[in-house]
Amino acid sequence: MPETEKKHLIEFDKTINHTMEGCSFDILPIETVNEIFKDGRSFSHFMERWLEKIFGLKHVKGCKGHDLVDPSNDEIKYEVKTFTKGGCRFCSSNMVGVGRKFNQEVFEEKTKKLLFCIVSNIDFPNIKIRFVKGVDLLEYKTGKIPSKDFVKFFD
């Protein structure tokens, strides 16, 4: 299918269900590849580039605080986050982990400025994609959507 036929419009608060096809890595069995893509750390690098093509966005290399921008306006910034079996952490990675501190004020300020693309890889190769305005995610005050909210979030 030509690349132009694959592009979708970005619609906020609407879930897109999609089955990834043709994912492979040389001699690895498809089951192994699918298992690897259920790990958000591996999945996210590929997903950012895939979303760039499917939605006509522009990928931003490096750690800039966002992953994609609108090609007609670099001020429209998208952050891609993965909803895994453990939920979805959408606060800045510099606030997550050992020795790092969560700052509510900085978290809220940054979240309000961003648009988010939340992608579930829980049932890979079946994925769910949902674009959400950062301000609408602030109901999750800790920057994490718990796994128990999976159905509520995507339905």
Side-chain angles (χ1 to χ4, degrees):
M1 181 172 3
E3 195 172 311
T4 55
E5 289 181 39
K6 292 183 180 180
K7 291 199 176 164
H8 289 276
L9 291 174
I10 293 172
E11 294 182 63
F12 288 90
D13 304 317
K14 180 181 176 189
T15 297
I16 298 169
N17 294 294
H18 181 80
T19 300
M20 302 298 280
E21 296 178 6
C23 296
S24 65
F25 195 83
D26 197 26
I27 63 169
L28 289 181
I30 190 66
E31 297 81 16
T32 302
V33 174
N34 288 352
E35 179 185 327
I36 291 168
F37 278 122
K38 287 183 180 180
D39 182 324
R41 297 166 296 181
S42 303
F43 177 77
S44 64
H45 296 288
F46 289 92
M47 186 51 47
E48 290 169 12
R49 298 302 182 97
W50 184 83
L51 291 164
E52 173 185 35
K53 300 292 183 200
I54 295 297
F55 291 98
L57 297 167
K58 184 169 72 173
H59 183 257
V60 177
K61 293 180 183 178
C63 299
K64 306 286 189 220
H66 56 282
D67 302 306
L68 303 162
V69 294
D70 185 306
S72 63
N73 183 349
D74 283 353
E75 293 304 309
I76 301 175
K77 300 172 183 176
Y78 294 86
E79 180 74 347
V80 180
K81 295 295 183 179
T82 306
F83 200 119
T84 66
K85 63 183 178 181
C88 178
R89 207 174 271 284
F90 63 91
C91 65
S92 297
S93 56
N94 65 359
M95 293 187 198
V96 178
V98 176
R100 297 178 181 179
K101 188 175 179 184
F102 182 80
N103 182 313
Q104 190 73 41
E105 186 178 322
V106 172
F107 158 70
E108 288 181 12
E109 187 176 313
K110 181 178 179 184
T111 300
K112 287 176 186 176
K113 293 177 184 176
L114 289 171
L115 302 171
F116 287 82
C117 180
I118 311 287
V119 184
S120 169
N121 69 343
I122 292 172
D123 192 29
F124 192 87
N126 301 308
I127 64 171
K128 293 181 178 293
I129 305 159
R130 190 172 187 94
F131 285 90
V132 183
K133 294 175 184 163
V135 70
D136 295 337
L137 286 174
L138 289 176
E139 71 177 273
Y140 299 101
K141 299 190 183 312
T142 62
K144 182 176 180 183
I145 305 166
S147 56
K148 69 177 183 62
D149 283 2
F150 178 83
V151 172
K152 173 185 165 189
F153 182 78
F154 283 106
D155 286 344

